[in-house]
Amino acid sequence: MKAHLLLFLLYTIVILIISSCAPVYVPNVLNAPMLTNKNEVQAAIHAGVSGFDPQIAWAPTNHLGVMVNASFRNSTSDSTDNYHKHKFFEFGAGYYTAFGERFKFETFGGAGFGKISALYENDLWISTSQVDIVRYFVQPTVGVTSKAIDFGVSTRLALVNIKQEDVGTSGLMLEPVATLKLGWDYLKIVGKVGFSAPMTKDIKFKYQPFLFSVGLQGNFGKVFR
């Protein structure tokens, strides 16, 4: 019970913080599949501060993985005109390998694109964003897997390009994320927590600093092995 209450409070605090401004860059849930074998397929859905994030990863060979990720959010306020809407799609490919039976290493790279439209208004200020986003990323992951528990640590380095009408800017973001998966071979509950921070001090766009999500993942590796 205490763990569930702590999780609820943490989620509420994060939501309150990010609702104080209209972030131009909202990081999607990082996909760290920690693949094992050829023809393994992982599909997951996540809910968190970035909204609703479906993900899929597939291993066409014993060391090559591909992934497709998305992120959607459409939230409005019942008492104000505040809203946040975004759509983001991402594609990646990379290398994975195992050390022994349990230890994993993988690194993925890819690109994504999307749109954000948001308005946050209160008695002190009005914050808006209407932007197009193109992002390039690379993300190494180290982890350990078992039938019941998977744990991994990833570091996503993202080059974010922001454009509103004819005005554009870019920034390099560092996004370390810890992933915990609990369950069985084929179905696991997934929790992710991390943060997003600029690599330079002269960043010119607002960003969401927290990465937090919970989800459900199906692993079909043994079915297609």
Side-chain angles (χ1 to χ4, degrees):
M1 179 64 74
K2 290 183 179 180
H4 288 85
L5 179 59
L6 181 60
L7 190 64
F8 173 77
L9 290 175
L10 176 61
Y11 184 79
T12 302
I13 291 171
V14 170
I15 291 297
L16 290 174
I17 292 174
I18 65 173
S19 296
S20 63
C21 64
V24 172
Y25 171 55
V26 179
N28 66 319
V29 174
L30 185 147
N31 189 354
M34 290 179 278
L35 296 166
T36 299
N37 58 268
K38 178 181 177 180
N39 288 331
E40 180 177 359
V41 177
Q42 293 186 17
I45 52 174
H46 299 269
V49 294
S50 61
F52 172 71
D53 287 48
Q55 300 178 336
I56 189 166
W58 171 50
T61 74
N62 280 326
H63 293 289
L64 174 65
V66 294
M67 62 170 60
V68 179
N69 309 312
S71 181
F72 306 97
R73 185 174 168 190
N74 187 350
S75 59
T76 59
S77 172
D78 295 332
S79 58
T80 69
D81 295 329
N82 294 352
Y83 67 89
H84 176 103
K85 300 178 181 179
H86 76 241
K87 297 179 181 179
F88 185 79
F89 303 92
E90 180 178 71
F91 307 90
Y95 171 83
Y96 71 92
T97 190
F99 299 95
E101 293 185 1
R102 302 303 180 191
F103 292 95
K104 305 294 175 62
F105 170 78
E106 64 187 22
T107 181
F108 281 86
F113 61 92
K115 293 179 178 289
I116 287 182
S117 175
L119 167 67
Y120 291 104
E121 181 178 3
N122 57 35
D123 294 336
L124 298 176
W125 65 79
I126 297 176
S127 180
T128 62
S129 60
Q130 303 279 340
V131 300
D132 295 313
I133 296 178
V134 177
R135 190 187 72 182
Y136 305 95
F137 75 94
V138 60
Q139 62 175 58
T141 298
V142 292
V144 58
T145 63
S146 68
K147 289 185 177 181
I149 301 175
D150 299 346
F151 178 76
V153 177
S154 309
T155 301
R156 181 167 63 190
L157 188 64
L159 177 61
V160 182
N161 298 288
I162 306 291
K163 186 175 182 180
Q164 180 167 304
E165 297 179 348
D166 295 329
V167 179
T169 186
S170 62
L172 193 60
M173 307 296 291
L174 181 66
E175 297 170 352
V177 175
T179 300
L180 179 65
K181 306 178 184 181
L182 302 173
W184 300 269
D185 275 348
Y186 303 113
L187 189 65
K188 290 183 179 179
I189 298 171
V190 184
K192 295 177 182 282
V193 62
F195 64 88
S196 179
M199 295 288 287
T200 58
K201 296 181 179 180
D202 58 345
I203 197 83
K204 295 181 179 179
F205 54 82
K206 295 179 180 178
Y207 59 92
Q208 181 173 289
F210 300 104
L211 289 81
F212 175 77
S213 67
V214 292
L216 195 63
Q217 175 190 283
N219 188 326
F220 308 100
K222 292 187 177 180
V223 175
F224 298 105
R225 184 178 296 180

